[in-house]
Amino acid sequence: MQLPKFFIVEAKALPEVFLKVAQAKWLLETGEVSTVNEATKATELSRSAFYKYRDSISPFQNLMAGRILTFHFILRDVTGLLSSILSIFAQFGANILTINQTIPTNGCASVTISAETTGVEQGAEELLRTLKKMDDVLKAEILAG
């Protein structure tokens, strides 16, 4: 049996180090502190623990209030690929809010798409899996949400 990649765990069940990392990230994101050193001192967390776990913990957003997710892609420079990606978003019921694309270099472009995913009945993970399976999609991930 393969375990899922993500779990929803109540904060009080988490080890203290994860809570401190989340708090340090929040301090940095809100601008209350400007450096990792300041954030780790304020939360009484070691810098090594912060760097070890910073990508492993993120706050869960209230699903009842709607979900805006930001997707990041690395795409080959192929005519119609972005259009095909947008069609998949539409098929899943996602509402595109923003699209940002870099000019292709070395045959690849970076694309960021923010979408309202409240209407996605199959789930954002299934949407992401479908997008990852597309030819010429070199990388697909959810950055924020």
Side-chain angles (χ1 to χ4, degrees):
M1 177 179 110
Q2 185 178 0
L3 290 174
K5 186 175 179 180
F6 299 102
F7 294 88
I8 297 174
V9 179
E10 191 173 349
K12 68 181 181 183
L14 290 173
E16 185 178 10
V17 67
F18 288 116
L19 300 174
K20 287 183 175 187
V21 169
Q23 184 180 11
K25 286 176 61 172
W26 183 81
L27 290 171
L28 287 163
E29 289 170 11
T30 60
E32 289 190 38
V33 298
S34 57
T35 66
V36 170
N37 194 40
E38 291 173 329
T40 55
K41 282 184 180 179
T43 57
E44 299 179 352
L45 175 70
S46 72
R47 285 171 41 97
S48 63
F50 175 81
Y51 285 115
K52 181 177 181 179
Y53 297 118
R54 71 178 173 181
D55 295 329
S56 298
I57 187 160
S58 295
F60 178 72
Q61 301 297 323
N62 183 353
L63 293 178
M64 301 310 288
R67 278 195 342 195
I68 296 174
L69 297 178
T70 301
F71 296 79
H72 177 253
F73 303 93
I74 302 294
L75 308 176
R76 290 192 206 275
D77 185 17
V78 175
T79 301
L81 180 58
L82 183 56
S83 177
S84 297
I85 288 171
L86 297 176
S87 293
I88 289 174
F89 274 92
Q91 290 168 8
F92 271 77
N95 181 32
I96 303 295
L97 302 173
T98 65
I99 302 169
N100 294 300
Q101 178 179 345
T102 62
I103 294 174
T105 56
N106 298 324
C108 295
S110 175
V111 176
T112 304
I113 299 173
S114 294
E116 169 64 46
T117 60
T118 303
V120 177
E121 292 182 17
Q122 295 119 317
E125 285 190 350
E126 185 59 33
L127 170 60
L128 184 61
R129 272 193 287 278
T130 301
L131 293 164
K132 282 182 174 182
K133 290 179 188 175
M134 294 182 67
D135 291 337
D136 301 312
V137 173
L138 303 177
K139 181 178 180 180
E141 62 185 346
I142 296 175
L143 283 185

